[in-house]
């Protein structure tokens, strides 16, 4: 069997999940004179070195600028009428692999509007000058009756495509409420947001009129693992564990970043915050406001940046790649040039460029414990199938459970046709395993509701046409599900399972066995289902 392997490696510097940041510094004046009421920032994932910015009213447009605040392009929004645009986010959407811009028309100071709007469209490739965005989708929502809120914070979970809105607390309702709309969000009917959690962050009290003000902006990092929410006088940080929901993460203790609105450049009414494209730090800016001190000159908006303090990394890699073994398995290989206080590694795989919930390895891959010199490691993925693009990440875990990610590297197995134009027959029948394992039924429920089913897949190959039985048994040997009972031609197969028995009922947490039986093959493997 011939297999052509296409390799694409993005050997990204490791990114950390640690809440240690340096002081805020100004990186440049926002040169676009139109920006006087900056309400949202979002770092582009499609256009290197581009940050999106917008006003909260006055124009149906968004603007692209450089990471030093220099104006690059203006994009007019066709077919919509902005009312009070308060935030912007970038995340996945209906088309796999595409980056979408989400705009939040959710401001409502007086509580006059029950309907709120989120606009969604594919992020354009930026060219200097002017352009027009067409084909904008409108997501209309309301809060659960009889509630209505003013809000200035929009976030999109890159792992689930769920949309999150954080209300802006005020003197009558000082706490900030988090609501979400699970994916897929309707663009034809008004949806009702689901209550998630009440934030425990302190609001800002205006020293002049004693009014209270809550959240004014927020962002989730590109990998879905870190969250920022700001007020006028603080920036708050949360980390998110693998498999954890945004609501659960926001229920945990927060870290207060080293932010001071009176530092130079002064941010008198800061309403925008976003991670940079690699979550190495974050940007903030403010609306244009008069100085609180004589002679009360107008303070123009500046772009500020707060970098992460990660001078000492627990591990430095000298290589991260893969090879194809003689058995047509994927061997993930990496070498370290140094290791400091390192606990071990995890390997992740997905068919999308998003880090999945579960790692491929059952237990952590222990570090060799050598700090002064490097080590060489490898992990073999026996479940990768031809004709599929896979993305692999490597996670290093420090002894204090700080995570550092590398990758992704990308591999595509392409089966070449023979001279007759047919695909080659597998050399032997084999049960390759299931992925992911362990498998979370709760995650399956959530993803199924969101239109993106979370499933485990049983992978096998047939060397020739045969009757096939693929069955699942509980730990007592009772059959709970028959997935296949029919004759199949030779080829590669990937059979999904969503954690249900033959009656469609949820299976309980525990160890299960699955058996592949053909005319001349019988193999049993084990899986762990986690509720």
């Amino acid at each position: 069997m011939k297999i052509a392997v296409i390799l694409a490696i993005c050997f990204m510097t490791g990114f950390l999940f640690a809440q240690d940041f340096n002081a805020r510094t100004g990186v440049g004046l926002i040169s676009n004179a139109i920006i006087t009421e900056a309400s949202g920032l979002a770092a582009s994932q499609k256009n290197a070195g581009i940050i999106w910015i917008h006003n909260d009213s006055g124009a149906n447009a968004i603007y692209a600028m450089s990471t030093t605040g220099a104006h690059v392009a203006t994009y007019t929004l066709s077919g919509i009428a902005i009312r009070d645009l308060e935030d912007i986010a970038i995340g996945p959407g209906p088309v796999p692999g595409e980056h979408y811009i989400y705009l939040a028309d959710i401001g409502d100071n007086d509580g006059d509007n029950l309907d709120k709007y989120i606009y969604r469209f594919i992020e354009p490739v930026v060219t200097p000058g002017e352009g027009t965005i067409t084909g904008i989708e409108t997501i209309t929502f309301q809060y659960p009756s009889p509630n209505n809120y003013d809000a200035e914070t929009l976030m999109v979970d890159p792992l689930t495509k769920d949309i999150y809105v954080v209300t802006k607390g005020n003197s009558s309702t000082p706490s900030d409420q988090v609501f979400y709309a699970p994916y897929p969000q309707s663009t034809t009917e008004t949806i009702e947001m689901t209550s998630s959690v009440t934030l425990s962050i302190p609001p800002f009290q205006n020293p002049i009129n004693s009014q209270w003000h809550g959240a004014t902006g927020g962002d989730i990092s590109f990998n879905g693992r870190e969250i920022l929410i700001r007020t006028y006088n603080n920036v708050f940080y949360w980390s998110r564990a693998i498999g954890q929901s945004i609501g659960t993460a926001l229920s945990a203790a927060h870290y207060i970043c080293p932010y001071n609105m009176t530092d130079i450049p002064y941010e008198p009414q800061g309403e925008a915050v976003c991670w940079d494209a690699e979550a190495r730090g974050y940007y903030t800016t403010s609306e244009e406001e008069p100085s609180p001190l004589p002679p009360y000159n107008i303070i123009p908006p500046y772009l500020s940046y707060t970098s992460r303090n990660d001078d000492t990394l627990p591990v430095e890699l000298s290589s991260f790649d893969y090879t194809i073994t003689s058995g047509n398995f994927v061997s993930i290989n990496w070498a370290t040039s140094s290791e400091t206080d390192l606990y071990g590694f995890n390997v992740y795989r997905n068919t999308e460029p998003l880090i999945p919930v579960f790692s491929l390895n059952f237990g952590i891959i222990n570090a060799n414990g050598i700090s002064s010199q490097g080590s060489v490691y490898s992990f073999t993925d026996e479940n990768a199938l031809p004709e599929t693009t896979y993305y692999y990440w490597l996670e290093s875990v420090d002894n204090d459970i700080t995570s550092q990610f590398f990758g992704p590297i990308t591999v595509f197995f392409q089966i070449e046709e023979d001279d007759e134009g047919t695909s080659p027959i597998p050399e032997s029948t084999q049960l390759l395993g299931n992925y992911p394992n362990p498998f979370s039924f709760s995650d399956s429920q959530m993803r199924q509701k969101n239109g993106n089913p979370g499933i485990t897949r049983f992978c096998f190959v047939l060397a020739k046409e045969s009757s096939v039985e693929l069955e699942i048994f509980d730990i007592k040997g009772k059959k709970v599900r028959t997935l296949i009972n029919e004759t199949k031609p030779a080829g590669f197969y990937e059979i999904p399972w969503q954690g249900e028995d033959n009656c469609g009922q949820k299976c309980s947490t525990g160890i299960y066995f699955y058996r592949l039986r053909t005319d001349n093959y019988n193999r049993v493997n084990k899986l762990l289902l986690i509720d």
Side-chain angles (χ1 to χ4, degrees):
M1 175 171 53
K2 297 180 181 179
I3 293 184
V5 180
I6 300 174
L7 168 64
I9 295 181
C10 174
F11 185 32
M12 186 172 58
T13 304
F15 50 88
L16 290 171
F17 303 136
Q19 66 274 27
D20 190 8
F21 295 93
N22 297 309
R24 176 172 65 92
T25 59
V27 294
L29 174 71
I30 295 177
S31 65
N32 187 352
I34 295 176
I35 302 297
T36 58
E37 296 181 299
S39 288
L41 294 171
S44 173
Q45 289 292 329
K46 180 179 287 187
N47 305 277
I50 290 294
I51 297 175
W52 295 98
I53 188 170
H54 63 84
N55 284 321
D56 67 7
S57 62
N60 272 27
I62 59 173
Y63 309 93
M65 65 180 178
S66 73
T67 54
T68 58
H71 177 66
V72 176
T74 299
Y75 284 87
T76 300
L77 305 172
S78 176
I80 63 173
I82 296 298
R83 186 172 61 202
D84 192 354
L85 195 61
E86 291 292 354
D87 207 358
I88 182 173
I90 289 180
V95 178
E98 275 288 3
H99 299 287
Y100 283 76
I101 289 179
Y102 293 75
L103 297 174
D105 196 347
I106 57 177
D108 194 0
N109 290 328
D110 299 323
D112 295 331
N113 305 294
L114 288 178
D115 286 346
K116 310 295 194 293
Y117 306 105
I118 296 172
Y119 302 109
R120 178 177 66 195
F121 52 89
I122 293 176
E123 181 185 3
V125 175
V126 172
T127 56
E130 297 184 356
T132 300
I133 304 294
T134 59
I136 299 174
E137 296 178 306
T138 300
I139 300 168
T140 305
F141 75 86
Q142 295 183 359
Y143 297 104
S145 179
N147 300 307
N148 194 18
Y149 299 94
D150 178 36
E152 298 187 1
T153 302
L154 172 73
M155 302 184 294
V156 177
D157 185 350
L159 303 184
T160 66
K161 306 181 187 179
D162 295 347
I163 295 174
Y164 285 81
V165 171
V166 183
T167 66
K168 184 181 182 181
N170 52 44
S171 294
S172 60
T173 310
S175 60
D176 299 308
Q177 308 295 317
V178 181
F179 293 87
Y180 75 100
Y183 184 85
Q185 299 88 15
S186 175
T187 58
T188 59
E189 298 178 356
T190 299
I191 62 177
E192 182 178 290
M193 298 292 276
T194 301
S195 178
S196 177
V197 67
T198 299
L199 293 183
S200 62
I201 62 176
F204 167 72
Q205 186 175 30
N206 189 315
I208 298 175
N209 58 21
S210 298
Q211 294 295 305
W212 293 96
H213 302 278
T216 61
D219 196 20
I220 301 173
S221 60
F222 77 98
N223 47 57
R225 301 291 296 279
E226 299 179 282
I227 308 165
L228 293 172
I229 295 177
R230 72 165 299 166
T231 59
Y232 288 136
N233 66 328
N234 277 309
V235 176
F236 303 93
Y237 168 97
W238 292 262
S239 63
R240 178 191 188 188
I242 294 175
Q244 194 175 51
S245 70
I246 294 295
T248 302
L250 291 175
S251 299
H254 59 262
Y255 168 81
I256 302 178
C257 299
Y259 175 88
N260 191 327
M261 63 188 296
T262 61
D263 288 344
I264 304 299
Y266 183 48
E267 292 191 359
Q269 191 168 329
E271 295 192 3
V273 62
C274 76
W275 288 103
D276 68 23
E278 293 185 354
R280 279 295 187 180
Y282 61 87
Y283 293 95
T284 58
T285 192
S286 171
E287 290 193 1
E288 183 177 276
E289 288 287 322
S291 169
L293 302 174
Y296 308 109
N297 294 327
I298 294 293
I299 300 175
Y302 275 80
L303 185 65
S304 294
Y305 183 70
T306 301
S307 62
R308 196 190 298 273
N309 184 7
D310 57 358
D311 294 335
T312 303
L313 299 178
V315 63
E316 293 183 5
L317 295 189
S318 57
S319 65
F320 176 37
D321 55 22
Y322 78 92
T323 56
I324 303 300
T325 70
S326 58
N328 296 320
F329 300 141
V330 178
S331 176
I332 304 298
N333 313 305
W334 65 98
T336 63
S337 55
S338 65
E339 299 177 10
T340 304
D341 197 29
L342 184 63
Y343 178 53
F345 299 93
N346 292 310
V347 176
Y348 295 83
R349 186 192 74 185
N350 205 352
T351 53
E352 295 183 277
L354 300 172
I355 300 174
V357 173
F358 297 112
S359 63
L360 287 175
N361 47 297
F362 285 103
I364 197 162
I365 302 169
N366 292 319
N368 288 335
I370 302 174
S371 59
S372 60
Q373 54 184 313
S375 299
V376 177
Y377 302 87
S378 67
F379 174 84
T380 300
D381 180 8
E382 299 183 355
N383 295 338
L385 291 177
E387 305 291 344
T388 304
T389 298
Y390 291 110
Y391 301 87
Y392 291 88
W393 292 262
L394 177 69
E395 178 191 28
S396 68
V397 182
D398 200 355
N399 283 324
D400 64 1
I401 315 302
T402 296
S403 294
Q404 181 183 2
F405 271 74
F406 301 88
I409 57 176
T410 308
V411 60
F412 176 71
F413 286 88
Q414 187 176 38
I415 302 177
E416 296 180 347
E417 295 183 343
D418 58 23
D419 294 338
E420 285 74 34
T422 59
S423 296
I425 302 300
E427 295 176 356
S428 62
T429 296
Q430 187 176 6
L431 177 60
L432 300 175
N434 73 296
Y435 171 79
N437 192 3
F439 166 54
S440 171
F441 183 84
S442 297
D443 184 60
S444 172
Q445 285 184 314
M446 178 188 71
R447 293 177 184 270
Q448 185 176 15
K449 177 185 69 174
N450 294 348
N452 182 21
I455 57 182
T456 191
R457 294 177 172 86
F458 301 96
C459 306
F460 64 91
V461 294
L462 294 179
K464 61 181 181 179
E465 182 178 286
S466 173
S467 60
V468 178
E469 293 179 356
L470 180 58
E471 301 166 314
I472 301 173
F473 302 84
D474 64 19
I475 197 168
K476 296 180 180 179
K478 178 183 177 182
K479 185 192 300 183
V480 298
R481 184 67 183 267
T482 298
L483 294 173
I484 298 178
N485 185 12
E486 60 185 281
T487 299
K488 291 281 189 181
F492 297 86
Y493 293 90
E494 190 171 299
I495 308 300
W497 183 50
Q498 297 186 16
E500 298 175 345
D501 63 19
N502 282 329
C503 297
Q505 300 298 310
K506 169 185 173 181
C507 292
S508 59
T509 297
I511 295 173
Y512 290 82
F513 299 93
Y514 57 98
R515 179 180 67 190
L516 177 68
R517 184 162 58 184
T518 71
D519 293 340
N520 55 6
Y521 182 85
N522 189 18
R523 175 70 185 270
V524 177
N525 279 1
K526 180 173 68 175
L527 71 87
L528 175 62
L529 187 148
I530 302 173
D531 189 357

